[in-house]
Amino acid sequence: MLKNNLVQKVKASEILKNQILLVKPSERFPADGIVVEGETSVDESLLTGEIIPVYKKINEKIVAGSLNTESSVKILTTQVGSEHSIARLIQLVQDAQGSKSKTMRSIENFSKYYTPIIFVLGILMAVLPPILGLGSWHSSIYKGLAILLIGCPCALIISTPSAIAAGISVATKFGILIKHASALEIIGRVKTMAFDKTGTLTEGKLSVTDVITFSDEYSENEILKLVLSVEQHSTHPLAKSIIQYGKEKNISFYEVTEAKTISGIGVSGKLNGQTILVSSLQNIEYTAESEALQKQGKTICVLSLNNKTVGLIALQDKLKIGVKHSLNDLKKLKINSIVLTGDNKASAQGILHGLDLEIKAQLLPEHKLNYIREFSQHGKVAMVGDGINDAPALSAADVGIAMGEGTDVAVDSAQIVIANKNISSLVSVVKISRKTLRLISQNIAIAILLKVLFLCLTLLGETTLWMAILADTGATVLVTLNSLRLFRFTAPVPNALNRN
C-alpha cells in the first residue's frame, strides 16, 4: 500500500476502498481495482480458467485473485473484503449448495408404510379367523407367523443400497470416485452435460502447432532458434511453452544481449547488431497465414529482425486423448453436450473444431451458474470442470463432476471426481449409473413378486414356516447376487493413437 508516498505492507483484511496498492510481479491482486500506473500482463485463470495472461494498462479493471505476471503496477482499489471477486465467487458456491434439494429415496418411504401393513396383516391373520369361527388358533397363529416372516422387508430394503454399493465399487475400480450415492442415481438420468474447456476437454497448456517463415534466408528451425534466444529470458506462459517445444526438438539458441521484456508488446534482445523482437500479432500487419491461424483460434508470436517480420510461431491448447470418441458416445446415450468457457469464441471454436458441441464463450463464473440453472429447467444437468471458476456451476448442477487434477475448491464442490483424468470415464459412469438403476428396478421386482407369491400361498394354507424363512432369505440372496452382476462391467478403452 502507498501512504504518504511510502510503501507499507498491509494485511489483505486491512485494505480499504480507494487505496493505492503497489503489486509486484508474481504477486496476486488482493482486491478488485483499476490500474492507475504501469502496465502488465495478468493471469486471470483463477476466475476465467484460461491460461493466457491478459494485458492490462491504465484505467483497465483488475480482479482480486488474479496474478501479476510481468511488471509492478499501482491500482486503485474499488471492491475489498466480502465485496471483491473471490469473496463473491465463494458466496455463489455457498448459495448454489444451499439451494439444492436432497433426493428422497422412494423405497425408504415405501417401507415406512409397508412394514406396519404387514405387521397388522400378520396379527389379523393370527387372531381374526378363530374369533370369527373360521379356523383354529393353532393354524391361524401359524399362518400369521408365516406372513410376518415372508413380509419381512429385508430384501426390499437392501435392493437399492446393494446395487448402489456395487456401482460405487465398480466405478472406483475405473478411477471414478463417487462421493454421494444420490450422484450415482442422478448421473444416469442426465439430459445435458456442460463442460468447462481448459483442463477438462483440453490439456490445459499451450503447445506449438506451427512454425512459419516469411524469408528464404531463415528456415523454420532458424526461426525457432531466434525466438528461443529471447524467450529464454521471459517467464511468460507462452515463452515456457516455446522453450519446452525447443527442448523436445533439441533446438539450441543464441546468446543475446540487452534482453528485456517490453510491457504489452513482447520480449526483445540484441544479436550481432540486430534487434530481435518477439511480439503479439497485434503489433504487425496481418498476413494470409496469420489470419488463417487466428481463425483457428491459435495464439501467435511474431518474430521481427530490425522491425522486419521474418516468421511466426502459433500455439494452441490441445484436446485430451479420446475427447471426440467420448462425446460421440455421450450423444449415443442421448446426452446433449455443451461447452461453457471463459475463453473467446474464436479460440474455443478453433480448439473444438470438428466436435458436435454448442459453445457458450467469454463466461464468468456467475454466467456459467446462470446457464446451469437455465438448463436444469429442461431436465437433469451435469457440470464437468476443474477450476475454482467452475465451482458455483458444479455446486448448482444436479451432479457436479470434477477432473482429478483440478483445484481443491472444484473437487470439494463436486459429487463425482474423475481421478484418472480420463474423459472417457464420463461415458463409463453414465453406463454404470444406468445399469445400477436397472438392477435396482429388478431387485425391487424380485423382492415384491416373491413376497406377493408366498403371501398368496400362505393365505391359501399352502406354505410352512420353513418355506417362509426360505422365501425371505432367498429373496435377500437373489437381490444381492443380482447386484453383484455389476462387477462384470468393462469400461471403454480410449485409442491412445487418436488424440480426438
mmCIF file of all heavy atoms in Angstrom, residues 114 118 122 142-154 451 455 464-473:
data_model
loop_
_atom_site.group_PDB
_atom_site.id
_atom_site.type_symbol
_atom_site.label_atom_id
_atom_site.label_comp_id
_atom_site.label_asym_id
_atom_site.label_seq_id
_atom_site.Cartn_x
_atom_site.Cartn_y
_atom_site.Cartn_z
ATOM 1 N N TYR A 114 -45.120 -49.991 4.304
ATOM 2 C CA TYR A 114 -45.183 -51.428 4.028
ATOM 3 C C TYR A 114 -45.063 -52.246 5.314
ATOM 4 O O TYR A 114 -45.838 -53.172 5.561
ATOM 5 C CB TYR A 114 -44.062 -51.792 3.052
ATOM 6 C CG TYR A 114 -43.856 -53.276 2.854
ATOM 7 C CD1 TYR A 114 -44.650 -53.995 1.962
ATOM 8 C CD2 TYR A 114 -42.868 -53.962 3.569
ATOM 9 C CE1 TYR A 114 -44.457 -55.358 1.782
ATOM 10 C CE2 TYR A 114 -42.670 -55.316 3.392
ATOM 11 C CZ TYR A 114 -43.460 -56.009 2.509
ATOM 12 O OH TYR A 114 -43.270 -57.337 2.335
ATOM 13 N N ILE A 118 -47.790 -55.007 6.882
ATOM 14 C CA ILE A 118 -47.501 -56.438 7.005
ATOM 15 C C ILE A 118 -47.695 -56.892 8.445
ATOM 16 O O ILE A 118 -48.235 -57.971 8.717
ATOM 17 C CB ILE A 118 -46.063 -56.735 6.520
ATOM 18 C CG1 ILE A 118 -45.976 -56.561 5.002
ATOM 19 C CG2 ILE A 118 -45.635 -58.151 6.919
ATOM 20 C CD1 ILE A 118 -46.830 -57.533 4.212
ATOM 21 N N GLY A 122 -50.374 -59.666 9.638
ATOM 22 C CA GLY A 122 -49.985 -60.882 10.356
ATOM 23 C C GLY A 122 -50.779 -61.069 11.629
ATOM 24 O O GLY A 122 -51.226 -62.191 11.949
ATOM 25 N N TYR A 142 -50.084 -69.939 13.134
ATOM 26 C CA TYR A 142 -49.040 -70.455 12.239
ATOM 27 C C TYR A 142 -48.989 -69.612 10.954
ATOM 28 O O TYR A 142 -47.913 -69.211 10.486
ATOM 29 C CB TYR A 142 -49.352 -71.913 11.909
ATOM 30 C CG TYR A 142 -48.186 -72.665 11.271
ATOM 31 C CD1 TYR A 142 -47.273 -73.356 12.052
ATOM 32 C CD2 TYR A 142 -48.041 -72.692 9.882
ATOM 33 C CE1 TYR A 142 -46.224 -74.057 11.479
ATOM 34 C CE2 TYR A 142 -46.988 -73.367 9.291
ATOM 35 C CZ TYR A 142 -46.085 -74.056 10.092
ATOM 36 O OH TYR A 142 -45.048 -74.741 9.524
ATOM 37 N N LYS A 143 -50.179 -69.336 10.372
ATOM 38 C CA LYS A 143 -50.240 -68.509 9.156
ATOM 39 C C LYS A 143 -49.785 -67.076 9.425
ATOM 40 O O LYS A 143 -49.120 -66.448 8.592
ATOM 41 C CB LYS A 143 -51.661 -68.508 8.594
ATOM 42 C CG LYS A 143 -52.088 -69.819 7.955
ATOM 43 C CD LYS A 143 -53.502 -69.696 7.388
ATOM 44 C CE LYS A 143 -53.947 -70.996 6.737
ATOM 45 N NZ LYS A 143 -55.339 -70.898 6.207
ATOM 46 N N GLY A 144 -50.164 -66.560 10.601
ATOM 47 C CA GLY A 144 -49.767 -65.199 10.950
ATOM 48 C C GLY A 144 -48.248 -65.061 11.044
ATOM 49 O O GLY A 144 -47.665 -64.083 10.547
ATOM 50 N N LEU A 145 -47.594 -66.063 11.667
ATOM 51 C CA LEU A 145 -46.126 -66.052 11.752
ATOM 52 C C LEU A 145 -45.490 -66.160 10.366
ATOM 53 O O LEU A 145 -44.484 -65.517 10.079
ATOM 54 C CB LEU A 145 -45.650 -67.209 12.650
ATOM 55 C CG LEU A 145 -45.963 -67.073 14.149
ATOM 56 C CD1 LEU A 145 -45.596 -68.349 14.898
ATOM 57 C CD2 LEU A 145 -45.226 -65.879 14.736
ATOM 58 N N ALA A 146 -46.096 -66.990 9.523
ATOM 59 C CA ALA A 146 -45.574 -67.153 8.156
ATOM 60 C C ALA A 146 -45.659 -65.838 7.385
ATOM 61 O O ALA A 146 -44.732 -65.465 6.640
ATOM 62 C CB ALA A 146 -46.341 -68.247 7.423
ATOM 63 N N ILE A 147 -46.774 -65.123 7.576
ATOM 64 C CA ILE A 147 -46.933 -63.822 6.894
ATOM 65 C C ILE A 147 -45.872 -62.840 7.374
ATOM 66 O O ILE A 147 -45.285 -62.099 6.583
ATOM 67 C CB ILE A 147 -48.352 -63.270 7.140
ATOM 68 C CG1 ILE A 147 -49.374 -64.078 6.323
ATOM 69 C CG2 ILE A 147 -48.429 -61.783 6.768
ATOM 70 C CD1 ILE A 147 -50.809 -63.707 6.600
ATOM 71 N N LEU A 148 -45.624 -62.819 8.695
ATOM 72 C CA LEU A 148 -44.603 -61.908 9.238
ATOM 73 C C LEU A 148 -43.217 -62.237 8.686
ATOM 74 O O LEU A 148 -42.423 -61.335 8.386
ATOM 75 C CB LEU A 148 -44.593 -61.975 10.766
ATOM 76 C CG LEU A 148 -45.813 -61.388 11.470
ATOM 77 C CD1 LEU A 148 -45.713 -61.578 12.980
ATOM 78 C CD2 LEU A 148 -45.970 -59.899 11.150
ATOM 79 N N LEU A 149 -42.918 -63.529 8.558
ATOM 80 C CA LEU A 149 -41.614 -63.935 8.022
ATOM 81 C C LEU A 149 -41.492 -63.576 6.539
ATOM 82 O O LEU A 149 -40.495 -63.007 6.105
ATOM 83 C CB LEU A 149 -41.418 -65.446 8.210
ATOM 84 C CG LEU A 149 -41.050 -65.906 9.628
ATOM 85 C CD1 LEU A 149 -41.132 -67.420 9.736
ATOM 86 C CD2 LEU A 149 -39.643 -65.426 9.980
ATOM 87 N N ILE A 150 -42.518 -63.916 5.783
ATOM 88 C CA ILE A 150 -42.483 -63.652 4.339
ATOM 89 C C ILE A 150 -42.475 -62.150 4.071
ATOM 90 O O ILE A 150 -41.801 -61.656 3.161
ATOM 91 C CB ILE A 150 -43.688 -64.317 3.635
ATOM 92 C CG1 ILE A 150 -43.566 -65.837 3.726
ATOM 93 C CG2 ILE A 150 -43.788 -63.863 2.174
ATOM 94 C CD1 ILE A 150 -44.824 -66.568 3.312
ATOM 95 N N GLY A 151 -43.228 -61.412 4.866
ATOM 96 C CA GLY A 151 -43.355 -59.975 4.644
ATOM 97 C C GLY A 151 -42.191 -59.160 5.159
ATOM 98 O O GLY A 151 -42.161 -57.942 4.963
ATOM 99 N N CYS A 152 -41.228 -59.790 5.829
ATOM 100 C CA CYS A 152 -40.047 -59.068 6.326
ATOM 101 C C CYS A 152 -39.403 -58.290 5.174
ATOM 102 O O CYS A 152 -39.089 -58.870 4.127
ATOM 103 C CB CYS A 152 -39.048 -60.043 6.925
ATOM 104 S SG CYS A 152 -37.564 -59.239 7.542
ATOM 105 N N PRO A 153 -39.196 -56.962 5.329
ATOM 106 C CA PRO A 153 -38.749 -56.136 4.198
ATOM 107 C C PRO A 153 -37.238 -56.133 3.939
ATOM 108 O O PRO A 153 -36.743 -55.240 3.265
ATOM 109 C CB PRO A 153 -39.228 -54.744 4.615
ATOM 110 C CG PRO A 153 -39.111 -54.748 6.107
ATOM 111 C CD PRO A 153 -39.464 -56.143 6.531
ATOM 112 N N CYS A 154 -36.523 -57.137 4.471
ATOM 113 C CA CYS A 154 -35.055 -57.145 4.314
ATOM 114 C C CYS A 154 -34.630 -57.019 2.860
ATOM 115 O O CYS A 154 -33.837 -56.146 2.494
ATOM 116 C CB CYS A 154 -34.473 -58.420 4.924
ATOM 117 S SG CYS A 154 -34.676 -58.522 6.706
ATOM 118 N N LYS A 451 -42.559 -61.996 -2.490
ATOM 119 C CA LYS A 451 -43.374 -61.811 -1.295
ATOM 120 C C LYS A 451 -44.867 -61.947 -1.617
ATOM 121 O O LYS A 451 -45.619 -62.583 -0.867
ATOM 122 C CB LYS A 451 -43.062 -60.453 -0.661
ATOM 123 C CG LYS A 451 -41.649 -60.409 -0.077
ATOM 124 C CD LYS A 451 -41.349 -59.113 0.609
ATOM 125 C CE LYS A 451 -39.905 -59.092 1.096
ATOM 126 N NZ LYS A 451 -39.583 -60.221 1.989
ATOM 127 N N LEU A 455 -47.120 -64.796 -0.014
ATOM 128 C CA LEU A 455 -48.240 -64.330 0.815
ATOM 129 C C LEU A 455 -49.559 -64.943 0.348
ATOM 130 O O LEU A 455 -50.395 -65.358 1.153
ATOM 131 C CB LEU A 455 -48.325 -62.799 0.776
ATOM 132 C CG LEU A 455 -47.338 -62.028 1.655
ATOM 133 C CD1 LEU A 455 -47.421 -60.528 1.369
ATOM 134 C CD2 LEU A 455 -47.602 -62.294 3.142
ATOM 135 N N THR A 464 -45.354 -73.439 4.652
ATOM 136 C CA THR A 464 -44.947 -73.764 6.020
ATOM 137 C C THR A 464 -43.949 -72.699 6.476
ATOM 138 O O THR A 464 -43.490 -71.873 5.674
ATOM 139 C CB THR A 464 -44.278 -75.144 6.070
ATOM 140 O OG1 THR A 464 -43.140 -75.128 5.210
ATOM 141 C CG2 THR A 464 -45.238 -76.246 5.621
ATOM 142 N N LEU A 465 -43.599 -72.756 7.782
ATOM 143 C CA LEU A 465 -42.673 -71.758 8.308
ATOM 144 C C LEU A 465 -41.306 -71.848 7.635
ATOM 145 O O LEU A 465 -40.667 -70.835 7.359
ATOM 146 C CB LEU A 465 -42.525 -71.912 9.831
ATOM 147 C CG LEU A 465 -43.670 -71.338 10.677
ATOM 148 C CD1 LEU A 465 -43.405 -71.569 12.160
ATOM 149 C CD2 LEU A 465 -43.857 -69.851 10.411
ATOM 150 N N TRP A 466 -40.849 -73.068 7.368
ATOM 151 C CA TRP A 466 -39.527 -73.195 6.749
ATOM 152 C C TRP A 466 -39.546 -72.645 5.328
ATOM 153 O O TRP A 466 -38.557 -72.072 4.859
ATOM 154 C CB TRP A 466 -39.036 -74.644 6.779
ATOM 155 C CG TRP A 466 -39.758 -75.591 5.850
ATOM 156 C CD1 TRP A 466 -40.799 -76.403 6.151
ATOM 157 C CD2 TRP A 466 -39.453 -75.810 4.463
ATOM 158 N NE1 TRP A 466 -41.195 -77.130 5.056
ATOM 159 C CE2 TRP A 466 -40.382 -76.786 3.993
ATOM 160 C CE3 TRP A 466 -38.524 -75.306 3.579
ATOM 161 C CZ2 TRP A 466 -40.384 -77.244 2.694
ATOM 162 C CZ3 TRP A 466 -38.521 -75.773 2.280
ATOM 163 C CH2 TRP A 466 -39.432 -76.729 1.837
ATOM 164 N N MET A 467 -40.687 -72.757 4.637
ATOM 165 C CA MET A 467 -40.808 -72.164 3.305
ATOM 166 C C MET A 467 -40.831 -70.635 3.389
ATOM 167 O O MET A 467 -40.279 -69.942 2.542
ATOM 168 C CB MET A 467 -42.088 -72.664 2.621
ATOM 169 C CG MET A 467 -42.056 -74.149 2.270
ATOM 170 S SD MET A 467 -43.633 -74.735 1.605
ATOM 171 C CE MET A 467 -43.719 -73.823 0.070
ATOM 172 N N ALA A 468 -41.455 -70.127 4.460
ATOM 173 C CA ALA A 468 -41.497 -68.678 4.656
ATOM 174 C C ALA A 468 -40.090 -68.129 4.915
ATOM 175 O O ALA A 468 -39.701 -67.078 4.383
ATOM 176 C CB ALA A 468 -42.412 -68.341 5.828
ATOM 177 N N ILE A 469 -39.333 -68.875 5.761
ATOM 178 C CA ILE A 469 -37.939 -68.462 6.042
ATOM 179 C C ILE A 469 -37.115 -68.503 4.766
ATOM 180 O O ILE A 469 -36.327 -67.587 4.474
ATOM 181 C CB ILE A 469 -37.317 -69.372 7.119
ATOM 182 C CG1 ILE A 469 -38.049 -69.174 8.454
ATOM 183 C CG2 ILE A 469 -35.817 -69.090 7.272
ATOM 184 C CD1 ILE A 469 -37.675 -70.181 9.520
ATOM 185 N N LEU A 470 -37.318 -69.559 3.974
ATOM 186 C CA LEU A 470 -36.581 -69.695 2.722
ATOM 187 C C LEU A 470 -36.945 -68.585 1.742
ATOM 188 O O LEU A 470 -36.084 -68.054 1.033
ATOM 189 C CB LEU A 470 -36.875 -71.071 2.098
ATOM 190 C CG LEU A 470 -36.086 -71.408 0.823
ATOM 191 C CD1 LEU A 470 -34.598 -71.455 1.120
ATOM 192 C CD2 LEU A 470 -36.562 -72.734 0.238
ATOM 193 N N ALA A 471 -38.205 -68.207 1.703
ATOM 194 C CA ALA A 471 -38.645 -67.142 0.795
ATOM 195 C C ALA A 471 -38.002 -65.808 1.175
ATOM 196 O O ALA A 471 -37.535 -65.059 0.309
ATOM 197 C CB ALA A 471 -40.159 -67.012 0.826
ATOM 198 N N ASP A 472 -37.964 -65.512 2.493
ATOM 199 C CA ASP A 472 -37.366 -64.248 2.946
ATOM 200 C C ASP A 472 -35.860 -64.232 2.684
ATOM 201 O O ASP A 472 -35.333 -63.298 2.075
ATOM 202 C CB ASP A 472 -37.649 -64.071 4.436
ATOM 203 C CG ASP A 472 -36.962 -62.841 4.990
ATOM 204 O OD1 ASP A 472 -37.103 -61.764 4.386
ATOM 205 O OD2 ASP A 472 -36.268 -62.956 6.016
ATOM 206 N N THR A 473 -35.170 -65.279 3.116
ATOM 207 C CA THR A 473 -33.713 -65.350 2.932
ATOM 208 C C THR A 473 -33.359 -65.473 1.455
ATOM 209 O O THR A 473 -32.401 -64.856 0.971
ATOM 210 C CB THR A 473 -33.132 -66.556 3.699
ATOM 211 O OG1 THR A 473 -33.540 -66.477 5.061
ATOM 212 C CG2 THR A 473 -31.613 -66.567 3.619
#
